Amino acid sequence: MSDKTITVFTPTYNRGYILPNLYNSLVNQTYKNFVWLIVDDGSTDNTKVMVEEWTKEGKIDIEYYYQENQGKQIAMNLGAEKCNTELFDTVDSD
């Protein structure tokens, strides 16, 4: 189990234009005992590059998984599988 209490899960597909808004919102939270788990469902935009940069910044804990495009429901299944915290909540990219 993770040392974090909550997984904030975001399934995403080509949402690079709006993901920075969610990232900034999470960075600005006063409660930091969470991990942001992102499942990228085959994006062809700049999503992966952005997430890599945010991970390097180290402002929040981020877990990123990429899968070939299979639809949101499959991305959600992977997110639930990768969750290592007691609590799990989905926050869409928008």
Side-chain angles (χ1 to χ4, degrees):
M1 228 187 206
S2 172
D3 62 332
K4 301 293 182 181
T5 305
I6 301 170
T7 293
V8 177
F9 169 63
T10 303
T12 189
Y13 174 75
N14 286 343
R15 305 292 277 181
Y17 68 95
I18 196 141
L19 268 177
N21 293 342
L22 178 53
Y23 172 71
N24 289 325
S25 177
L26 293 172
V27 166
N28 288 321
Q29 296 300 309
T30 56
Y31 184 81
K32 300 287 187 183
N33 197 11
F34 67 88
V35 59
W36 186 22
L37 191 155
I38 302 164
V39 174
D40 184 342
D41 188 40
S43 293
T44 57
D45 64 1
N46 62 336
T47 296
K48 182 179 181 179
V49 172
M50 284 191 313
V51 173
E52 287 172 348
E53 289 300 314
W54 297 333
T55 301
K56 288 178 190 174
E57 288 177 5
K59 293 180 180 179
I60 58 174
D61 288 339
I62 300 173
E63 292 181 20
Y64 174 82
Y65 298 94
Y66 179 90
Q67 66 180 23
E68 293 300 318
N69 183 261
Q70 300 176 66
K72 184 176 180 180
Q73 70 281 11
I74 302 299
M76 293 187 77
N77 289 342
L78 181 59
E81 179 183 309
K82 296 296 184 179
C83 177
N84 289 316
T85 62
E86 180 180 354
L87 303 171
F88 180 90
D89 190 28
T90 302
V91 179
D92 284 332
S93 55
D94 58 355

